[in-house]
């Protein structure tokens, strides 16, 4: 009697256990991609992250979900890179300046006056050398998936800047870049590296007199209301590398890797289109402010800046390597 009871109980328990296992396999938890960035949601990168979420969730219904942390809500870029390695997030899109500590070759993107415009940057990025740089941080556990544009940086300060001498003595917010540190020190400014989210406070309190960024970042964070003078020198390009961790990427099934890469290629086209459009539209918004003073340099004024800065390439040549510098300079590598 007792034995029969135990047999029945074990039988029932096994059925319950099997059905629990069965239902839980059927309802596998979706893969979550947490995507951290530091800018506003209405910038090219902010919109790009949202389009990426939409496409991924449409193409992997119930299987993959994307959570976006915009505006440094959780992490600054430097924190985000560490968080990727620790598995606290799965994606980020920092500017190159934040990635240079993982591979000095990426300093190529910070060289002043190396790229005249965004088209030249694209030519370099699409070359075999540029594509190789996407995998240049894999030995540190980070995988580059795509390049996204923002645009050419503009200098903004509490006084009109026309010549390099005008920067003398100004405290100046820079991204964490050795190249930028060298550059602004050379021009007599006092460069202070700080995360993007600190810029409004730094300008408001006067910790810094000036800074540099793109029109879309300046407008989206209302930085134009804090410093009225802008100088368009087109001295450097602000762009991003969309990154994930090697560990996360390698755990994804091959067909998912392929589809996510395809989605990113689609999003890249849209981000780059928006970047070009927004930099024009947002420039106009800034100009509409009666206090705004936008200085567009003549070729000869620009030449003075070039003469002051191009010689500093020699300081960083060995970091990036001659081949990379030559490819970037010539823009002629066969695709
Ligand atoms: C900055 O730190 O100024 C920029 O890199 C912010 C960004 O992500 O565009």
């Amino acid at each position: 009697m007792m034995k029969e009871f135990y047999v029945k109980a074990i039988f029932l328990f096994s059925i319950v256990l099997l059905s629990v296992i069965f239902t839980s396999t059927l309802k596998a938890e979706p893969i979550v991609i947490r995507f951290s960035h530091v800018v506003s949601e209405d910038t090219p990168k902010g919109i790009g992250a949202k389009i990426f979420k939409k496409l991924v969730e449409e193409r992997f219904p119930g299987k993959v979900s994307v959570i976006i942390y915009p505006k440094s809500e959780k992490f600054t870029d430097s924190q985000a890179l560490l968080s990727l390695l620790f598995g606290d997030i799965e994606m980020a899109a920092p500017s190159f300046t934040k990635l240079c500590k993982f591979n000095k070759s990426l300093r190529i993107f910070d060289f002043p006056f190396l790229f005249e415009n965004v088209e030249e940057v694209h030519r370099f990025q699409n070359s075999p050398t540029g594509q190789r740089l996407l995998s240049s941080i894999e030995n540190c556990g980070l995988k580059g998936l795509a390049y996204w544009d923002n645009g050419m940086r503009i200098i903004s300060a509490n006084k009109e800047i026309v010549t390099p001498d005008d920067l003398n003595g100004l405290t100046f917010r820079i991204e964490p870049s050795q190249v930028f540190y060298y550059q602004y020190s050379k021009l007599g400014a006092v460069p202070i590296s700080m995360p993007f989210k600190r810029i409004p406070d730094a300008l408001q309190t006067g910790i810094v007199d000036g800074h540099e960024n793109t029109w879309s970042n300046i407008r989206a964070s209302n930085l134009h209301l804090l410093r009225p003078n802008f100088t368009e020198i087109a001295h450097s390009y602000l762009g991003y590398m969309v990154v994930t961790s090697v560990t996360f990427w390698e755990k994804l099934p091959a067909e998912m890797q392929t589809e996510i890469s395809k989605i990113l290629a689609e999003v890249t086209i849209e981000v780059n289109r928006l970047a070009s459009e927004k930099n024009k539209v947002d420039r106009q918004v800034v100009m509409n402010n009666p206090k705004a003073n936008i200085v567009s340099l003549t070729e000869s004024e620009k030449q003075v800046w070039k003469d002051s800065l191009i010689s500093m390439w020699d300081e960083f040549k060995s970091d990036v390597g001659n081949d990379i510098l030559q490819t970037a300079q010539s823009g002629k590598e066969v695709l």
Side-chain angles (χ1 to χ4, degrees):
M1 196 64 185
M2 209 50 182
K3 193 174 159 206
E4 203 177 313
F5 170 77
Y6 279 127
V7 170
K8 271 189 188 159
I10 290 171
F11 179 70
L12 276 176
F13 177 73
S14 315
I15 298 228
V16 170
L17 190 67
L18 278 174
S19 60
V20 167
I21 293 173
F22 186 64
T23 10
S24 64
T25 8
L26 273 186
K27 278 192 164 181
E29 286 295 308
I31 293 170
V32 180
I33 301 180
R34 290 161 294 182
F35 188 155
S36 171
H37 68 80
V38 300
V39 290
S40 304
E41 289 181 282
D42 61 343
T43 55
K45 179 164 59 179
I47 299 172
K50 286 197 278 188
I51 303 175
F52 175 75
K53 172 181 166 67
K54 181 173 170 287
L55 294 182
V56 166
E57 292 179 353
E58 264 170 24
R59 296 197 200 161
F60 298 103
K63 286 199 180 143
V64 186
S65 79
V66 179
I67 300 172
I68 304 172
Y69 302 134
K71 286 185 95 171
S72 319
E73 198 174 83
K74 275 219 185 247
F75 304 112
T76 64
D77 276 335
S78 300
Q79 290 167 335
L81 290 168
L82 209 55
S83 304
L84 276 176
L85 294 174
F86 279 108
D88 299 328
I89 55 168
E90 287 69 32
M91 263 173 95
S95 60
F96 299 106
T97 55
K98 286 112 184 186
L99 291 163
C100 293
K101 57 180 172 242
F102 298 103
N103 190 321
K104 288 184 183 166
S105 302
L106 292 169
R107 286 187 173 160
I108 192 72
F109 290 103
D110 296 352
F111 276 37
F113 294 110
L114 177 57
F115 303 107
E116 285 280 325
N117 50 45
V118 173
E119 289 67 40
E120 282 192 18
V121 177
H122 287 173
R123 218 172 305 146
F124 173 67
Q125 289 176 336
N126 294 329
S127 72
T129 306
Q131 288 297 300
R132 267 197 303 279
L133 283 180
L134 278 177
S135 44
S136 67
I137 46 179
E138 280 181 19
N139 61 334
C140 301
L142 295 169
K143 183 174 175 61
L145 296 171
Y147 290 122
W148 282 1
D149 282 344
N150 190 323
M152 302 308 280
R153 293 184 175 90
I154 290 106
I155 286 182
S156 177
N158 52 6
K159 64 179 239 198
E160 187 174 87
I161 307 290
V162 180
T163 70
D165 286 345
D166 294 331
L167 282 172
N168 196 29
L170 296 194
T171 47
F172 204 84
R173 183 267 173 175
I174 55 162
E175 294 184 47
S177 155
Q178 295 288 321
V179 178
F180 293 175
Y181 188 84
Y182 188 93
Q183 172 184 320
Y184 283 100
S185 304
K186 188 173 159 65
L187 299 178
V190 182
I192 304 176
S193 158
M194 65 181 76
F196 183 74
K197 69 171 181 182
R198 290 285 190 181
I199 305 176
D201 280 350
L203 293 173
Q204 215 140 26
T205 55
I207 290 174
V208 292
D209 299 311
H211 70 109
E212 59 176 8
N213 226 300
T214 56
W215 287 121
S216 69
N217 276 352
I218 289 172
R219 202 276 313 148
S221 293
N222 281 329
L223 304 179
H224 58 297
L225 304 179
L226 300 170
R227 288 292 177 276
N229 297 292
F230 303 93
T231 312
E232 292 179 301
I233 313 179
H235 58 297
S236 81
Y237 162 83
L238 170 57
Y240 310 109
M241 194 187 279
V242 182
V243 284
T244 185
S245 79
V246 173
T247 315
F248 172 72
W249 189 253
E250 286 180 351
K251 272 199 226 138
L252 294 178
E255 62 281 6
M256 208 175 260
Q257 292 178 349
T258 310
E259 191 59 32
I260 290 179
S261 303
K262 224 169 101 194
I263 291 172
L264 273 173
E266 288 169 46
V267 180
T268 300
I269 294 173
E270 186 54 13
V271 168
N272 293 356
R273 190 193 67 73
L274 277 168
S276 151
E277 180 185 290
K278 279 197 158 288
N279 276 315
K280 288 186 201 108
V281 173
D282 290 337
R283 180 185 190 277
Q284 189 57 46
V285 174
V286 174
M287 269 178 86
N288 291 345
N289 178 356
K291 290 197 185 134
N293 167 31
I294 302 184
V295 178
S296 296
L297 298 184
T298 62
E299 277 312 309
S300 59
E301 283 168 337
K302 212 187 232 190
Q303 193 57 45
V304 179
W305 287 84
K306 288 186 179 173
D307 293 343
S308 313
L309 291 176
I310 290 181
S311 61
M312 66 171 272
W313 293 0
D314 286 343
E315 295 295 321
F316 295 94
K317 222 187 231 166
S318 60
D319 290 343
V320 301
N322 249 335
D323 51 333
I324 292 182
L325 180 58
Q326 271 167 17
T327 308
Q329 260 180 297
S330 69
K332 285 186 180 60
E333 191 166 349
V334 182
L335 302 182

